[in-house]
DNA sequence: GCCAACGTTGGC
DNA sequence: GCCAACGTTGGC
């Protein structure tokens, strides 16, 4: 099993929004970066766990944990010409944008801020610190466990 | 709101 | 295939 970090702008879709979604699940749609797409398509497996990270907001931080419930899904927003993520180059028979479904597992109290991760010598190799713009990224088992040792998980 | 970093596009 | 122009992300 592998660990991941998924970024979302909380003003658009927060961890609380995921908790309040039907079945606490959502399709992770809207990713339009090829490296992130490749990770979603090729590397993430059903049952993997991911941090839910809040980006582009007042306090960038890991807010919760989610589990991957489905993989290999064509991103439906690519086919929806009313969506900001519409991409006419994505064909139904050969979808360009592949994504996953995730389910909320636990909230972190306190949240783990970007600031605290920057200051933590155990986390200096985190992809988050060197590849700030990559919206889907790997987390090592050591990083995962270290971060969880700094906080308490509250099941949702 | 600024702006550095960086991914994508498109002319050549 | 190169690379300049352009657009977006995201921390601050």
């Amino acid at each position: 099993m592998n660990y991941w970090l998924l970024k979302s702008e909380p003003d658009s879709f927060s961890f609380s929004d995921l908790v309040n979604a039907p079945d606490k699940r959502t399709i992770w749609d809207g990713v339009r970066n090829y490296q992130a797409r490749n990770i979603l398509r090729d590397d993430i497996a059903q049952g993997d766990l991911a941090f839910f990270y809040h980006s582009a907001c007042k306090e960038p931080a890991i807010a919760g944990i989610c589990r991957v419930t489905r993989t290999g899904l064509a991103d439906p927003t690519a086919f929806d010409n009313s969506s900001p993520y519409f991409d006419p180059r994505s064909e139904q028979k050969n979808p360009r944008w592949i994504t996953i479904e995730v389910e909320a597992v636990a909230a972190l109290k306190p949240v783990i801020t970007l600031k605290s991760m920057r200051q933590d010598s155990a986390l200096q190799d985190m992809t988050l610190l060197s590849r700030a713009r990559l919206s889907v990224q790997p987390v090592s088992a050591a990083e995962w466990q270290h971060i969880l040792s700094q906080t308490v998980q509250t099941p949702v």
Side-chain angles (χ1 to χ4, degrees), chain A residues 133-155:
Chain A
R133 294 180 54 188
L134 185 60
S135 64
V136 177
Q137 50 181 261
V139 174
S140 75
E143 290 160 352
W144 180 271
Q145 285 152 20
H146 182 82
I147 287 167
L148 290 183
S149 76
Q150 313 296 306
T151 184
V152 176
Q153 298 178 54
T154 305

Side-chain angles (χ1 to χ4, degrees), chain A residues 74-75 78-79 86-97:
Chain A
D75 184 334
F79 306 127
F86 176 62
D87 184 350
R89 301 169 300 180
S90 186
E91 301 166 30
Q92 292 275 358
K93 287 186 176 176
N94 183 24
R96 179 175 294 233
W97 303 109

Side-chain angles (χ1 to χ4, degrees), chain A residues 19-30:
Chain A
V19 170
N20 292 323
D23 297 327
K24 301 182 172 58
R25 295 186 183 196
T26 193
I27 304 289
W28 204 260
D29 59 23

Side-chain angles (χ1 to χ4, degrees), chain A residues 7-18 26 28-29 52 54-57 84-85:
Chain A
K7 296 201 293 189
S8 184
E9 299 186 17
D11 291 345
S12 302
F13 191 81
S14 68
F15 186 70
S16 296
D17 293 330
L18 179 61
T26 193
W28 204 260
D29 59 23
F52 191 116
H54 285 165
S55 68
C57 58
Y85 301 117

